[in-house]
């Protein structure tokens, strides 16, 4: 289930974003300060082209979905997205795998059924191979390898695109990718697309 983020969620969002595994799967790998997070949070809530949502797993807040640049362009409704999960909480509850699949399904439902998008885009880090395989199972198409310099380091990534007509569900994660193993394996993949604080 997805709901709009509220001011009371800001502490949880920052804590989830600062988890080392989430930072490792993001363009900006530094720890987000309280001041930096506050400025980002206020900008996002005030921006009509962004939608910040909280994902709940079995009634417990468990992650963030961010849609950005929601717009109509060349006769199509488009947006980009990213997400991350409460890896520590999911590890403790042993529900990482179900939450990881659940947040992707909920996000795609929201993108195409609620926002009525024609095209959804995102970015995934090159080394995040498990998530890249899973994205393809949901119908995403990868672009060519690309690089970006962020905080003085070069980050390799791929752009991904999913058109409404190509959308499909992934009943199971990709075998051999690690997501069907322990809960720590599953939660490690919970950042399918990078969702950045400083943007």
């Amino acid at each position: 289930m997805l709901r709009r983020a509220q001011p009371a969620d800001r502490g949880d969002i920052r804590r989830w974003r600062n988890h080392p595994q989430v930072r490792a799967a993001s363009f900006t790998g530094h720890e987000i300060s309280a001041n930096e997070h506050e400025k980002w949070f206020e900008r996002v809530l005030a921006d009509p082209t962004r939608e910040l949502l909280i994902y709940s797993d079995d009634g417990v807040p468990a992650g963030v979905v961010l849609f950005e640049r929601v717009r109509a362009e060349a006769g199509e409704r488009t947006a980009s997205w990213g997400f991350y999960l409460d890896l520590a909480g999911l590890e403790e509850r042993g529900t990482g795998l179900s939450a990881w699949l659940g947040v992707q399904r909920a996000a795609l439902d929201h993108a195409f059924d609620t926002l009525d998008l024609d095209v959804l885009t995102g970015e995934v880090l090159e080394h995040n191979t498990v998530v890249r395989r899973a994205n393809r199972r949901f119908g995403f198409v990868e672009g060519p390898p690309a690089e970006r310099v962020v905080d003085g380091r070069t980050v390799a990534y791929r752009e991904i695109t999913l058109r409404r007509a190509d959308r499909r569900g992934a009943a199971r994660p990709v075998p051999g990718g690690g997501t069907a193993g322990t809960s720590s394996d599953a939660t490690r993949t919970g950042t399918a697309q990078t969702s950045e604080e400083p943007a």
Side-chain angles (χ1 to χ4, degrees), residues 19 47 82-83 89 92 102 104-105 112 120 133 173 194 198:
H19 190 285
D47 188 342
F83 78 90
E92 184 177 316
Q104 288 189 291
R105 290 192 180 105
F112 293 107
L120 180 64
R133 291 191 197 106
T194 57

Side-chain angles (χ1 to χ4, degrees), residues 11-29:
D12 284 339
I13 293 172
R14 176 173 173 249
R15 178 168 51 83
W16 301 339
R17 175 60 174 80
N18 276 334
H19 190 285
Q21 291 174 4
V22 174
R23 288 162 50 198
S26 302
F27 279 105
T28 51

Side-chain angles (χ1 to χ4, degrees), residues 1 9 13 37 59 63 85 95 98 123 145 150 154 159-160 164 172:
M1 181 185 80
D9 297 311
I13 293 172
H37 178 68
L85 293 170
T95 57
S98 62
E123 296 173 331
V150 182
T154 300
E159 292 186 356
I160 58 171
R164 176 189 294 273
R172 292 285 297 165

Side-chain angles (χ1 to χ4, degrees), residues 1 55 97-107:
M1 181 185 80
Y55 170 72
L97 177 58
S98 62
W100 177 62
L101 293 173
V103 70
Q104 288 189 291
R105 290 192 180 105

Side-chain angles (χ1 to χ4, degrees), residues 10-103:
R10 71 184 72 199
D12 284 339
I13 293 172
R14 176 173 173 249
R15 178 168 51 83
W16 301 339
R17 175 60 174 80
N18 276 334
H19 190 285
Q21 291 174 4
V22 174
R23 288 162 50 198
S26 302
F27 279 105
T28 51
H30 67 274
E31 187 166 336
I32 304 298
S33 70
N35 183 57
E36 184 178 12
H37 178 68
E38 181 68 23
K39 291 178 179 178
W40 172 85
F41 189 83
E42 294 299 328
R43 283 199 307 271
V44 169
L45 291 192
D47 188 342
T49 70
R50 289 174 161 180
E51 190 167 315
L52 183 65
L53 305 168
I54 299 296
Y55 170 72
S56 293
D57 179 54
D58 199 23
V60 179
V64 175
V65 175
L66 176 63
F67 290 98
E68 300 186 276
R69 296 185 293 280
V70 180
R71 64 198 184 278
E73 186 175 86
E76 293 185 319
R77 283 187 56 79
T78 66
S80 63
W81 81 299
F83 78 90
Y84 48 91
L85 293 170
D86 173 17
L87 300 190
L90 294 171
E91 174 79 13
E92 184 177 316
R93 296 191 298 276
T95 57
L97 177 58
S98 62
W100 177 62
L101 293 173
V103 70

Side-chain angles (χ1 to χ4, degrees), residues 108-183:
L108 296 184
D109 287 347
H110 189 82
F112 293 107
D113 300 336
T114 302
L115 296 179
D116 197 30
L117 298 182
D118 298 295
V119 182
L120 180 64
T121 64
E123 296 173 331
V124 59
L125 298 192
E126 183 77 17
H127 67 73
N128 206 345
T129 55
V130 173
V131 167
R132 289 174 54 198
R133 291 191 197 106
N135 285 340
R136 291 193 288 269
R137 293 283 290 268
F138 278 99
F140 282 96
V141 175
E142 286 190 342
E147 291 184 342
R148 182 182 304 162
V149 177
V150 182
D151 291 343
R153 64 190 181 109
T154 300
V155 181
Y157 70 99
R158 302 267 185 152
E159 292 186 356
I160 58 171
T161 303
L162 177 61
R163 302 191 68 85
R164 176 189 294 273
D166 298 326
R167 176 186 175 193
R168 56 182 182 266
R172 292 285 297 165
V174 179
T179 61
T182 65
S183 59

